Amino acid sequence: MEICCSGRIMHCRSVCCNHWSSEERLDGKTVIITGANTGIGKETARDLARRGARIIMACRDLERAEEARTDILEDTGNENVVIRKLDLSDIKSIRAFAEIINKEEKQVNILINNAGIMMCPFSKTADGFEMQLGVNHLGHFLLTYLLLDLIKRSAPARIVIVASVAHTWTGLHLDDINSERSYDPMKAYGQSKLANVLFARSLAKRLQGSGVSVFSLHPGVVQSDLWRHQHQCIQVAVKIFRIFTKTTVEGAQTTIYCAVEPSLESLSGGYFSDCAPARCSRTASNDDLAQKLWEVSCNILGITWQ
């Protein structure tokens, strides 16, 4: 009976997950992964370390990051895995991180904007932004801006943005982007993920001809710490229906695909799911809206980025 159940689980997952594998090597390449101490970020770091890359784990919780680094080192034998402090909810931390990277690193070939927070109670970042928008979009927007010159000098290079199918849940409320008049955790999360897809689209257009490609993606419904803010009933439901969800290893595959698959160079700006091009929402394809979000983001962060 247990064997039968196991077979059904594997079958369900094989239906949900487009299996992809590659022997592509990353020797001599440097990869930054935000939120690399847990979940799909950790599994992404493990896979790319196994491919020979220098991995920079950009993490807020240094203790958990050290535990993850030890695990990755023991598993892959790659000692070129380092930890750098990064709190995406604090502009000072983002700027300090970028300053260290620009000073110490000769190249950044792949930037993976992976860290995120999901459907948390209303709170604000250190700089007064709604937490989900601040961490998921604005923090990564600023980080990318601060590292972009180094990334360009490292071309061919890639920027991979972990978004979500949740971008289809809502629109972009530019007149109340910090959800101060009305806060719905699900809609705020959806808005932050929509911002991820729009950012990738706009950035790719600006980087045409630079040798830097940009991709956004939906990792799938993954069994990870992202569910920690959900009501206990939802957490129980996720566990009950785990046969239809992805493990963290499975959830990391589309990120890895966008980071290393050689055939994607002509698809910069695209949105991916299950290791293949996917269709994003009509709103996420709106270039005028993407431009407005770009301008609002720059204004909020106090930066000039044409």
Side-chain angles (χ1 to χ4, degrees), residues 192-225:
S192 73
K193 295 289 104 177
L194 174 58
N196 287 158
V197 182
L198 289 168
F199 174 40
R201 188 177 182 87
S202 285
L203 185 58
K205 289 181 179 295
R206 286 168 167 81
L207 292 176
Q208 285 181 350
S210 69
V212 181
S213 303
V214 187
F215 310 105
S216 65
L217 65 99
H218 169 53
V221 180
V222 182
Q223 304 159 24
S224 74
D225 289 347

Side-chain angles (χ1 to χ4, degrees), residues 64-134:
R64 293 186 68 185
E66 187 56 49
E67 293 174 358
R69 178 187 176 278
T70 299
D71 182 31
I72 292 169
L73 191 153
E74 292 176 351
D75 187 30
T76 67
N78 184 346
E79 296 185 357
N80 203 0
V81 178
V82 300
I83 299 167
R84 296 289 181 265
K85 172 77 172 181
L86 174 64
D87 184 348
L88 287 160
S89 69
D90 187 340
I91 285 178
K92 288 183 179 179
S93 177
I94 298 168
R95 288 189 174 278
F97 172 85
E99 184 177 355
I100 290 172
I101 297 301
N102 283 316
K103 181 179 179 180
E104 295 183 352
E105 301 298 327
K106 296 180 180 179
Q107 60 183 17
V108 171
N109 307 96
I110 304 171
L111 170 63
I112 300 179
N113 291 334
N114 164 81
I117 189 168
M118 177 180 175
M119 292 186 274
C120 58
F122 182 79
S123 59
K124 293 184 177 182
T125 69
D127 305 283
F129 312 138
E130 186 275 313
M131 186 63 72
Q132 297 187 85
L133 181 79

Side-chain angles (χ1 to χ4, degrees), residues 242-257:
R242 66 187 182 279
I243 61 172
F244 299 107
T245 64
K246 293 181 180 181
T247 65
T248 51
V249 172
E250 292 166 340
Q253 295 309 302
T254 304
T255 301
I256 298 163
Y257 174 79

Side-chain angles (χ1 to χ4, degrees), residues 36-71:
N37 63 312
T38 187
I40 63 175
K42 178 183 176 182
E43 296 307 327
T44 301
R46 187 195 308 276
D47 182 283
L48 301 187
R50 193 175 286 124
R51 295 173 189 271
R54 169 174 168 80
I55 305 295
I56 300 174
M57 302 173 63
C59 303
R60 179 178 58 86
D61 188 331
L62 297 184
E63 184 176 345
R64 293 186 68 185
E66 187 56 49
E67 293 174 358
R69 178 187 176 278
T70 299
D71 182 31

